[in-house]
mmCIF file of all heavy atoms in Angstrom:
data_model
loop_
_atom_site.group_PDB
_atom_site.id
_atom_site.type_symbol
_atom_site.label_atom_id
_atom_site.label_comp_id
_atom_site.label_asym_id
_atom_site.label_seq_id
_atom_site.Cartn_x
_atom_site.Cartn_y
_atom_site.Cartn_z
ATOM 1 N N LYS K 33 18.502 -134.075 -129.928
ATOM 2 C CA LYS K 33 18.997 -134.378 -131.235
ATOM 3 C C LYS K 33 18.414 -135.764 -131.692
ATOM 4 O O LYS K 33 18.059 -136.620 -130.872
ATOM 5 C CB LYS K 33 20.483 -134.377 -131.343
ATOM 6 C CG LYS K 33 21.227 -135.294 -130.357
ATOM 7 C CD LYS K 33 22.733 -135.042 -130.384
ATOM 8 C CE LYS K 33 23.494 -135.892 -129.421
ATOM 9 N NZ LYS K 33 24.963 -135.554 -129.441
ATOM 10 N N PHE K 60 2.201 -145.810 -101.903
ATOM 11 C CA PHE K 60 1.047 -145.265 -101.425
ATOM 12 C C PHE K 60 0.931 -145.316 -99.875
ATOM 13 O O PHE K 60 0.498 -144.379 -99.213
ATOM 14 C CB PHE K 60 -0.162 -146.058 -101.966
ATOM 15 C CG PHE K 60 -1.514 -145.610 -101.446
ATOM 16 C CD1 PHE K 60 -2.020 -144.388 -101.849
ATOM 17 C CD2 PHE K 60 -2.209 -146.386 -100.520
ATOM 18 C CE1 PHE K 60 -3.292 -143.980 -101.311
ATOM 19 C CE2 PHE K 60 -3.422 -145.981 -100.011
ATOM 20 C CZ PHE K 60 -3.946 -144.746 -100.426
ATOM 21 N N SER K 61 1.463 -146.403 -99.280
ATOM 22 C CA SER K 61 1.502 -146.455 -97.813
ATOM 23 C C SER K 61 2.347 -145.413 -97.211
ATOM 24 O O SER K 61 2.028 -144.881 -96.143
ATOM 25 C CB SER K 61 2.023 -147.865 -97.409
ATOM 26 O OG SER K 61 1.194 -148.894 -97.861
ATOM 27 N N THR K 64 0.858 -141.300 -96.675
ATOM 28 C CA THR K 64 -0.115 -140.890 -95.653
ATOM 29 C C THR K 64 0.542 -141.081 -94.255
ATOM 30 O O THR K 64 1.126 -142.143 -94.012
ATOM 31 C CB THR K 64 -1.375 -141.729 -95.736
ATOM 32 O OG1 THR K 64 -1.941 -141.588 -97.005
ATOM 33 C CG2 THR K 64 -2.439 -141.245 -94.720
ATOM 34 N N LEU K 95 -9.050 -146.470 -106.574
ATOM 35 C CA LEU K 95 -8.965 -145.429 -107.544
ATOM 36 C C LEU K 95 -8.140 -144.258 -107.108
ATOM 37 O O LEU K 95 -7.347 -143.681 -107.837
ATOM 38 C CB LEU K 95 -10.380 -144.906 -107.894
ATOM 39 C CG LEU K 95 -11.134 -145.756 -108.879
ATOM 40 C CD1 LEU K 95 -12.596 -145.253 -109.032
ATOM 41 C CD2 LEU K 95 -10.473 -145.673 -110.280
ATOM 42 N N ILE K 115 18.881 -133.825 -117.994
ATOM 43 C CA ILE K 115 20.104 -134.641 -118.241
ATOM 44 C C ILE K 115 20.051 -135.259 -119.634
ATOM 45 O O ILE K 115 20.684 -136.278 -119.870
ATOM 46 C CB ILE K 115 20.305 -135.699 -117.127
ATOM 47 C CG1 ILE K 115 19.102 -136.561 -116.931
ATOM 48 C CG2 ILE K 115 20.698 -135.050 -115.837
ATOM 49 C CD1 ILE K 115 19.284 -137.764 -116.023
ATOM 50 N N GLY K 132 12.125 -141.610 -105.972
ATOM 51 C CA GLY K 132 10.714 -141.784 -105.730
ATOM 52 C C GLY K 132 10.463 -142.186 -104.274
ATOM 53 O O GLY K 132 9.540 -141.726 -103.652
ATOM 54 N N ILE K 139 7.251 -136.462 -99.642
ATOM 55 C CA ILE K 139 6.725 -135.099 -99.903
ATOM 56 C C ILE K 139 5.257 -135.172 -100.156
ATOM 57 O O ILE K 139 4.511 -134.297 -99.711
ATOM 58 C CB ILE K 139 7.504 -134.400 -101.046
ATOM 59 C CG1 ILE K 139 8.935 -134.163 -100.618
ATOM 60 C CG2 ILE K 139 6.815 -133.145 -101.524
ATOM 61 C CD1 ILE K 139 9.808 -133.550 -101.719
ATOM 62 N N TRP K 142 3.721 -135.072 -96.825
ATOM 63 C CA TRP K 142 3.753 -133.756 -96.278
ATOM 64 C C TRP K 142 2.624 -132.829 -96.801
ATOM 65 O O TRP K 142 2.071 -132.050 -96.077
ATOM 66 C CB TRP K 142 5.102 -133.104 -96.559
ATOM 67 C CG TRP K 142 6.293 -133.798 -96.058
ATOM 68 C CD1 TRP K 142 6.338 -134.925 -95.210
ATOM 69 C CD2 TRP K 142 7.714 -133.553 -96.373
ATOM 70 N NE1 TRP K 142 7.644 -135.346 -95.038
ATOM 71 C CE2 TRP K 142 8.492 -134.492 -95.733
ATOM 72 C CE3 TRP K 142 8.269 -132.578 -97.180
ATOM 73 C CZ2 TRP K 142 9.882 -134.468 -95.852
ATOM 74 C CZ3 TRP K 142 9.659 -132.521 -97.299
ATOM 75 C CH2 TRP K 142 10.425 -133.509 -96.606
ATOM 76 N N VAL K 143 2.441 -132.900 -98.143
ATOM 77 C CA VAL K 143 1.579 -131.923 -98.762
ATOM 78 C C VAL K 143 0.095 -132.359 -98.692
ATOM 79 O O VAL K 143 -0.794 -131.513 -98.402
ATOM 80 C CB VAL K 143 1.979 -131.750 -100.227
ATOM 81 C CG1 VAL K 143 1.008 -130.807 -100.957
ATOM 82 C CG2 VAL K 143 3.398 -131.213 -100.337
ATOM 83 N N VAL K 165 -1.611 -124.201 -95.946
ATOM 84 C CA VAL K 165 -0.936 -124.081 -97.267
ATOM 85 C C VAL K 165 -1.892 -124.557 -98.342
ATOM 86 O O VAL K 165 -2.590 -125.567 -98.195
ATOM 87 C CB VAL K 165 0.309 -125.025 -97.254
ATOM 88 C CG1 VAL K 165 0.914 -125.141 -98.621
ATOM 89 C CG2 VAL K 165 1.355 -124.502 -96.250
ATOM 90 N N ALA K 173 4.675 -130.403 -104.448
ATOM 91 C CA ALA K 173 5.037 -131.851 -104.523
ATOM 92 C C ALA K 173 5.462 -132.311 -105.916
ATOM 93 O O ALA K 173 6.322 -133.200 -106.035
ATOM 94 C CB ALA K 173 3.795 -132.633 -104.129
ATOM 95 N N LEU K 183 17.774 -129.477 -111.122
ATOM 96 C CA LEU K 183 18.961 -128.608 -110.959
ATOM 97 C C LEU K 183 20.107 -129.435 -110.344
ATOM 98 O O LEU K 183 21.246 -129.301 -110.842
ATOM 99 C CB LEU K 183 18.599 -127.417 -110.072
ATOM 100 C CG LEU K 183 19.720 -126.480 -109.666
ATOM 101 C CD1 LEU K 183 20.406 -125.920 -110.915
ATOM 102 C CD2 LEU K 183 19.295 -125.400 -108.749
ATOM 103 N N GLY K 194 30.629 -129.214 -125.495
ATOM 104 C CA GLY K 194 30.423 -128.040 -126.320
ATOM 105 C C GLY K 194 29.273 -127.132 -125.874
ATOM 106 O O GLY K 194 28.679 -126.424 -126.698
ATOM 107 N N LYS K 197 25.149 -121.419 -125.657
ATOM 108 C CA LYS K 197 23.814 -121.076 -126.123
ATOM 109 C C LYS K 197 23.679 -121.439 -127.564
ATOM 110 O O LYS K 197 24.509 -121.187 -128.423
ATOM 111 C CB LYS K 197 23.572 -119.567 -125.985
ATOM 112 C CG LYS K 197 22.195 -119.093 -126.232
ATOM 113 C CD LYS K 197 21.958 -117.632 -125.921
ATOM 114 C CE LYS K 197 20.513 -117.241 -126.119
ATOM 115 N NZ LYS K 197 20.341 -115.789 -125.720
ATOM 116 N N PRO K 206 7.432 -130.689 -134.648
ATOM 117 C CA PRO K 206 6.054 -131.247 -134.520
ATOM 118 C C PRO K 206 5.894 -132.270 -133.367
ATOM 119 O O PRO K 206 4.805 -132.326 -132.772
ATOM 120 C CB PRO K 206 5.804 -131.924 -135.883
ATOM 121 C CG PRO K 206 6.661 -131.113 -136.858
ATOM 122 C CD PRO K 206 7.916 -130.826 -136.066
ATOM 123 N N LEU K 210 3.198 -131.954 -130.406
ATOM 124 C CA LEU K 210 2.287 -133.057 -130.068
ATOM 125 C C LEU K 210 2.379 -133.336 -128.568
ATOM 126 O O LEU K 210 1.357 -133.563 -127.918
ATOM 127 C CB LEU K 210 2.671 -134.334 -130.848
ATOM 128 C CG LEU K 210 1.974 -135.582 -130.464
ATOM 129 C CD1 LEU K 210 0.473 -135.529 -130.704
ATOM 130 C CD2 LEU K 210 2.497 -136.828 -131.279
ATOM 131 N N ALA K 212 3.252 -131.306 -126.179
ATOM 132 C CA ALA K 212 2.612 -130.277 -125.447
ATOM 133 C C ALA K 212 1.093 -130.348 -125.506
ATOM 134 O O ALA K 212 0.389 -130.068 -124.537
ATOM 135 C CB ALA K 212 3.050 -128.902 -126.004
ATOM 136 N N TRP K 219 -3.825 -132.306 -118.549
ATOM 137 C CA TRP K 219 -3.749 -131.391 -117.399
ATOM 138 C C TRP K 219 -5.150 -131.128 -116.765
ATOM 139 O O TRP K 219 -5.303 -130.812 -115.602
ATOM 140 C CB TRP K 219 -3.125 -130.086 -117.711
ATOM 141 C CG TRP K 219 -2.110 -129.615 -116.700
ATOM 142 C CD1 TRP K 219 -2.373 -129.209 -115.448
ATOM 143 C CD2 TRP K 219 -0.656 -129.536 -116.855
ATOM 144 N NE1 TRP K 219 -1.203 -128.832 -114.775
ATOM 145 C CE2 TRP K 219 -0.156 -129.014 -115.613
ATOM 146 C CE3 TRP K 219 0.212 -129.856 -117.873
ATOM 147 C CZ2 TRP K 219 1.218 -128.858 -115.442
ATOM 148 C CZ3 TRP K 219 1.588 -129.660 -117.691
ATOM 149 C CH2 TRP K 219 2.070 -129.181 -116.459
ATOM 150 N N VAL K 268 8.008 -123.505 -130.623
ATOM 151 C CA VAL K 268 8.482 -124.129 -129.382
ATOM 152 C C VAL K 268 8.324 -123.155 -128.205
ATOM 153 O O VAL K 268 7.938 -123.563 -127.080
ATOM 154 C CB VAL K 268 9.996 -124.499 -129.504
ATOM 155 C CG1 VAL K 268 10.554 -124.974 -128.147
ATOM 156 C CG2 VAL K 268 10.157 -125.637 -130.520
ATOM 157 N N ALA K 274 2.729 -122.270 -122.847
ATOM 158 C CA ALA K 274 1.535 -122.982 -122.364
ATOM 159 C C ALA K 274 1.854 -123.830 -121.205
ATOM 160 O O ALA K 274 1.182 -123.901 -120.177
ATOM 161 C CB ALA K 274 0.936 -123.823 -123.492
ATOM 162 N N LEU K 288 -8.282 -119.318 -107.305
ATOM 163 C CA LEU K 288 -8.149 -118.019 -107.953
ATOM 164 C C LEU K 288 -9.353 -117.724 -108.804
ATOM 165 O O LEU K 288 -9.939 -118.611 -109.461
ATOM 166 C CB LEU K 288 -6.872 -118.002 -108.870
ATOM 167 C CG LEU K 288 -5.537 -117.977 -108.274
ATOM 168 C CD1 LEU K 288 -4.505 -118.020 -109.401
ATOM 169 C CD2 LEU K 288 -5.281 -116.858 -107.367
ATOM 170 N N ALA K 303 8.022 -114.830 -116.989
ATOM 171 C CA ALA K 303 9.079 -115.198 -116.030
ATOM 172 C C ALA K 303 9.900 -116.439 -116.492
ATOM 173 O O ALA K 303 11.169 -116.458 -116.436
ATOM 174 C CB ALA K 303 8.484 -115.453 -114.718
ATOM 175 N N GLY K 324 13.905 -123.925 -115.408
ATOM 176 C CA GLY K 324 13.244 -122.662 -115.872
ATOM 177 C C GLY K 324 11.797 -122.762 -115.968
ATOM 178 O O GLY K 324 11.055 -121.738 -115.724
ATOM 179 N N GLY K 338 -0.339 -116.468 -102.103
ATOM 180 C CA GLY K 338 -0.257 -115.662 -100.956
ATOM 181 C C GLY K 338 -0.752 -114.232 -101.202
ATOM 182 O O GLY K 338 -1.085 -113.514 -100.211
ATOM 183 N N VAL K 357 3.137 -118.999 -95.111
ATOM 184 C CA VAL K 357 3.137 -120.493 -95.191
ATOM 185 C C VAL K 357 3.446 -120.989 -96.577
ATOM 186 O O VAL K 357 4.061 -122.032 -96.745
ATOM 187 C CB VAL K 357 1.829 -121.061 -94.634
ATOM 188 C CG1 VAL K 357 1.673 -120.765 -93.142
ATOM 189 C CG2 VAL K 357 0.638 -120.663 -95.449
ATOM 190 N N PHE K 386 26.946 -142.467 -114.001
ATOM 191 C CA PHE K 386 25.660 -142.020 -114.498
ATOM 192 C C PHE K 386 25.701 -141.530 -115.950
ATOM 193 O O PHE K 386 24.769 -141.688 -116.656
ATOM 194 C CB PHE K 386 25.168 -140.850 -113.532
ATOM 195 C CG PHE K 386 23.708 -140.739 -113.460
ATOM 196 C CD1 PHE K 386 23.085 -140.345 -112.282
ATOM 197 C CD2 PHE K 386 22.836 -141.001 -114.537
ATOM 198 C CE1 PHE K 386 21.696 -140.246 -112.115
ATOM 199 C CE2 PHE K 386 21.432 -140.859 -114.426
ATOM 200 C CZ PHE K 386 20.904 -140.521 -113.218
ATOM 201 N N GLU K 392 30.276 -141.851 -126.862
ATOM 202 C CA GLU K 392 28.795 -142.151 -127.013
ATOM 203 C C GLU K 392 27.947 -140.894 -127.061
ATOM 204 O O GLU K 392 26.992 -140.860 -127.813
ATOM 205 C CB GLU K 392 28.423 -143.028 -125.810
ATOM 206 C CG GLU K 392 29.014 -144.421 -125.828
ATOM 207 C CD GLU K 392 28.765 -145.191 -124.511
ATOM 208 O OE1 GLU K 392 28.556 -144.566 -123.504
ATOM 209 O OE2 GLU K 392 28.867 -146.458 -124.555
#
Side-chain angles (χ1 to χ4, degrees):
K33 57 187 179 183
F60 176 73
S61 296
T64 304
L95 279 172
I115 54 174
I139 291 176
W142 301 350
V143 176
V165 173
L183 176 59
K197 190 172 183 179
L210 172 63
W219 225 290
V268 171
L288 288 180
V357 297
F386 208 144
E392 290 171 338

